[in-house]
Amino acid sequence: MTKPPPWPKPKAEIDAGTAIETILKDGLIDAMDEVGEKFSAGEFFVPEMLMAAQAMKAGLELLKPHLGEGGSQSKGTAVIGTVKGDLHDIGKNLVSMMMEGAGFEVVDLGVDVESEAFVKRAAEKNADVITLSALLTTTMPAMESTVKATRTIIGGAPVPQAFADQIGADGCSADAPGAVKIVKELVA
Ligand code: B1M
């Protein structure tokens, strides 16, 4: 019979009073890292990674009620998702759970999400922040299109650059030609 892995069992550890961060880090995440290493080494394949993902998701569900800081008033709204072409959702789900636990409303768009969908949903929900997750180096460029689509320039006679800096705008112009110049620079 195959020897069982040495990783702690989340339910037993919760019942034993082990710190949630310890169960998460030393148990679930370290175990997943080992799965990744074995995949890199050609010892594990996609089916093993899928099985590990299922186990991790089950473990995270057990930890979920313990991840919060409490507080009933919403601290803001975040739209979250894994970017186009990427199907990894465990880290994204963990970020989502921890943000919910910290008092944020989280709108989770799932995996393989187009940049337009992030922007559309953020506008619909009047979100305070868009949070993008990627686990593949090949899908990191998909983050760029969302970031670019959310750039803002501001302007108008009374609006100074200092105000743009203060509110986090990407550019500021006091006149129309200046606005065109900044937009050209931003989309170049
Ligand atoms: Co994939 N996979 N995978 N995989 N997989 C990795 C990521 C890989 C590193 C494995 C390896 O080679 N060692 C490698 C990527 C290499 C690279 O790009 N450099 C890889 C590969 C190659 C692939 C495929 C291409 C394999 C293939 O088909 N040949 C394929 C791609 C599919 C696709 O997405 N299009 C693939 C598929 C899969 C499965 C579907 C089988 C499965 C995912 C199941 C699922 O998510 N539902 C899977 C898994 C499980 C992994 C590993 C083993 C584990 C990922 C994980 O869940 N970790 C992974 C190896 C590894 O990471 N050790 C690997 C646990 C999770 C809690 O951590 O997701 O890193 P993580 O999240 C962290 C941080 O990253 C961070 O916070 C989290 C908590 O600390 N974080 C954020 C994440 N998102 C954040 C967003 C934030 C902030 C922090 O702000 C918004």
Side-chain angles (χ1 to χ4, degrees):
M1 199 170 79
T2 318
K3 200 168 158 260
W7 307 109
K9 294 185 170 61
K11 175 84 172 62
E13 294 294 335
I14 293 168
D15 292 345
T18 307
I20 297 303
E21 299 71 34
T22 305
I23 304 173
L24 184 61
K25 169 73 183 64
D26 296 354
L28 302 181
I29 292 180
D30 279 4
M32 200 53 128
D33 283 344
E34 189 168 328
V35 171
E37 282 159 22
K38 286 188 185 297
F39 178 78
S40 294
E43 293 172 40
F44 276 9
F45 300 91
V46 171
E48 281 85 1
M49 286 210 288
L50 274 172
M51 282 160 55
Q54 281 174 5
M56 175 101 189
K57 283 185 176 184
L60 282 179
E61 280 305 315
L62 292 171
L63 297 192
K64 190 175 179 178
H66 305 273
L67 289 173
E69 291 163 12
S72 55
Q73 202 174 353
S74 173
K75 293 208 173 69
T77 301
V79 167
I80 195 167
T82 305
V83 298
K84 183 74 192 154
D86 202 323
L87 303 176
H88 296 85
D89 66 355
I90 295 170
K92 181 263 297 168
N93 293 345
L94 183 55
V95 173
S96 176
M97 279 178 199
M98 296 192 82
M99 286 201 305
E100 280 177 347
F104 292 90
E105 186 193 332
V106 180
V107 181
D108 191 339
L109 304 188
V111 297
D112 194 19
V113 181
E114 300 272 2
S115 58
E116 293 79 10
F118 283 111
V119 179
K120 186 166 174 274
R121 221 51 191 111
E124 283 167 5
K125 298 296 287 185
N126 198 17
D128 300 286
V129 63
I130 296 177
T131 47
L132 308 175
S133 179
L135 259 291
L136 299 172
T137 45
T138 50
T139 56
M140 282 169 54
M143 293 175 145
E144 191 180 355
S145 50
T146 308
V147 171
K148 282 187 169 170
T150 53
R151 286 175 304 179
T152 313
I153 77 159
I154 62 171
V159 184
Q161 179 65 45
F163 183 63
D165 296 339
Q166 184 190 321
I167 66 173
D170 296 289
C172 179
S173 171
D175 56 31
V180 176
K181 184 168 174 284
I182 295 169
V183 170
K184 277 184 176 168
E185 285 167 5
L186 284 174
V187 302

